[in-house]
Coordinates of all heavy atoms in Angstrom, one line a residue:
Y798 N -0.2 -16.4 -0.5 CA -1.2 -17.5 -0.5 C -2.5 -16.9 -1.0 O -2.7 -15.7 -0.9 CB -1.5 -18.0 0.9 CG -0.3 -18.9 1.5 CD1 0.5 -18.4 2.4 CD2 -0.2 -20.2 1.0 CE1 1.6 -19.2 2.9 CE2 0.9 -21.0 1.5 CZ 1.7 -20.5 2.4 OH 2.7 -21.3 2.9
V805 N -11.2 -12.8 -1.5 CA -12.4 -12.0 -1.3 C -13.4 -12.8 -0.4 O -14.0 -12.3 0.5 CB -13.1 -11.7 -2.7 CG1 -14.5 -11.2 -2.6 CG2 -12.2 -10.7 -3.5
S892 N 18.8 -5.8 4.6 CA 19.7 -5.4 5.7 C 18.9 -4.5 6.7 O 17.9 -3.9 6.3 CB 20.9 -4.7 5.2 OG 20.5 -3.5 4.6
L918 N 17.2 -19.3 15.8 CA 17.4 -20.4 16.9 C 18.9 -20.4 17.4 O 19.1 -20.5 18.6 CB 17.0 -21.7 16.3 CG 16.9 -22.8 17.4 CD1 16.0 -22.5 18.5 CD2 16.5 -24.1 16.7
F927 N 18.9 -10.5 23.5 CA 19.0 -9.0 23.7 C 19.8 -8.3 22.7 O 19.4 -7.3 22.1 CB 19.6 -8.7 25.1 CG 19.7 -7.2 25.4 CD1 18.6 -6.5 25.8 CD2 20.9 -6.6 25.1 CE1 18.8 -5.1 25.9 CE2 21.1 -5.2 25.3 CZ 20.0 -4.4 25.7
K936 N 19.2 0.0 14.8 CA 19.5 0.2 13.3 C 18.2 0.5 12.6 O 18.1 1.4 11.8 CB 20.2 -0.9 12.7 CG 21.6 -1.1 13.2 CD 22.5 -1.9 12.4 CE 23.9 -1.9 12.8 NZ 24.8 -2.8 12.0
E964 N 5.9 -24.1 16.4 CA 6.6 -24.0 17.8 C 6.5 -22.6 18.2 O 7.1 -21.7 17.7 CB 8.1 -24.4 17.6 CG 8.7 -24.6 19.0 CD 10.2 -25.0 18.8 OE1 10.6 -25.4 17.7 OE2 11.0 -24.7 19.8
H975 N 9.4 -8.9 25.0 CA 8.6 -7.7 24.9 C 9.1 -6.6 25.9 O 9.0 -5.4 25.6 CB 7.1 -8.0 25.1 CG 6.5 -8.6 23.8 ND1 5.4 -8.1 23.2 CD2 7.0 -9.6 23.0 CE1 5.1 -8.8 22.1 NE2 6.1 -9.7 22.0
R979 N 10.2 -3.0 24.9 CA 9.5 -1.8 25.5 C 10.6 -0.8 26.1 O 10.5 0.4 25.9 CB 8.6 -2.2 26.7 CG 7.9 -1.1 27.4 CD 6.9 -0.4 26.5 NE 5.7 -1.2 26.2 CZ 5.0 -1.0 25.0 NH1 5.3 -0.1 24.1 NH2 3.9 -1.8 24.8
I993 N 3.6 2.6 22.1 CA 3.8 1.9 20.8 C 3.4 0.5 21.0 O 3.8 -0.2 21.9 CB 5.3 2.0 20.3 CG1 5.6 3.5 20.0 CG2 5.5 1.1 19.1 CD1 7.0 3.8 19.7

Side-chain angles (χ1 to χ4, degrees):
Y798 288 104
V805 168
S892 65
L918 194 54
F927 176 81
K936 292 195 172 180
E964 194 179 337
H975 282 230
R979 179 66 72 210
I993 293 173

